[in-house]
Amino acid sequence: MPQCSAKGCRADAVWVLAWNNPKLHTPERRKTWLACDEHREHLSKFLGVRGFLKDVVRLEDWEESTADG
């Protein structure tokens, strides 16, 4: 099972935070961080205040959508 991207966290990931840095990435590019329930809001805010956060999706839904593509 994938783990949360928060520093020091070993919990199972439940969420995918899709983001990009417009200074480095093309608009359609999506980088991802994984988050457990506890760290989803903190990681979302970290990316959001920088204008990087594009989407927050449940991991199972993300895996289904990327398997189709």
Side-chain angles (χ1 to χ4, degrees):
M1 180 75 167
Q3 290 183 340
C4 180
S5 298
K7 186 175 183 175
C9 185
R10 300 286 181 250
D12 290 344
V14 180
W15 300 95
V16 174
L17 285 64
W19 63 277
N20 85 7
N21 179 340
K23 293 182 180 178
L24 301 176
H25 308 122
T26 58
E28 67 279 353
R29 171 104 188 259
R30 292 295 178 265
K31 305 276 288 175
T32 57
W33 281 357
L34 302 177
C36 63
D37 281 329
E38 181 181 347
H39 290 112
R40 180 186 74 157
E41 185 175 343
H42 170 74
L43 294 174
S44 293
K45 284 182 180 179
F46 180 90
L47 292 168
V49 298
R50 289 158 177 79
F52 294 175
L53 187 63
K54 301 301 178 190
D55 205 3
V56 178
V57 181
R58 290 191 66 81
L59 178 59
E60 60 196 30
D61 295 337
W62 181 268
E63 289 173 337
E64 288 175 10
S65 71
T66 58
D68 294 341

